[in-house]
Amino acid sequence: MHEVSIMEQTLEIALKHAQNQGASRIHRIKLKVGELSGVVPEALKFAFDVVTQNTIAQSATLEVETIPVECYCSNCQENFYPSDLIHLCPHCGQLSREVRQGKELELASLEVS
């Protein structure tokens, strides 16, 4: 489960930001996770509970925002949200080669005191 490693690295970044702000507690961590990122949100939440033990984030809340896959059709010159794993434009049926969002894994915000 690589989510534990991802959560450890995310927590490390969050702790550094909290320290830079002079914070003594992390209340909330918000992540943006793309549908194509290869990360399982439920596994991230489990890993979060494990890696935050005995840290200033121990009682923090993890919020995970799932980012849908958005593709671009070069033929129609329009963005679209594919309905399955094959990214076919719903207007012309052309296979999209450009994924504009849905692969990200981002620490979006941090709430500290």
Side-chain angles (χ1 to χ4, degrees), residues 7 40-50 62-64:
M7 205 66 249
V40 179
E42 294 78 22
L44 270 183
K45 291 175 182 177
F46 174 78
F48 179 77
D49 291 338
V50 172
L62 176 65
E63 183 181 326
V64 177

Side-chain angles (χ1 to χ4, degrees), residues 14-15 17-29 55-57 59-60 109-113:
L15 292 171
H17 282 288
Q19 181 181 18
N20 290 342
Q21 297 296 318
S24 60
R25 187 162 180 223
I26 297 175
H27 299 281
R28 185 175 64 88
I29 295 175
T55 71
I56 64 170
S59 59
S109 67
L110 194 58
E111 186 179 307
V112 299
S113 67

Side-chain angles (χ1 to χ4, degrees), residues 72-78 80 89 91-96:
Y72 177 75
C73 177
S74 59
N75 189 46
C76 296
Q77 297 184 351
E78 291 187 25
F80 67 93
C89 175
H91 306 290
C92 70
Q94 179 175 315
L95 183 64
S96 174

Side-chain angles (χ1 to χ4, degrees), residues 47-91:
F48 179 77
D49 291 338
V50 172
V51 302
T52 57
Q53 294 299 311
N54 302 316
T55 71
I56 64 170
Q58 182 169 338
S59 59
T61 302
L62 176 65
E63 183 181 326
V64 177
E65 178 184 353
T66 302
I67 306 299
V69 178
E70 182 180 10
C71 296
Y72 177 75
C73 177
S74 59
N75 189 46
C76 296
Q77 297 184 351
E78 291 187 25
N79 292 337
F80 67 93
Y81 296 95
S83 59
D84 59 26
L85 294 176
I86 299 172
H87 302 153
L88 295 177
C89 175
H91 306 290

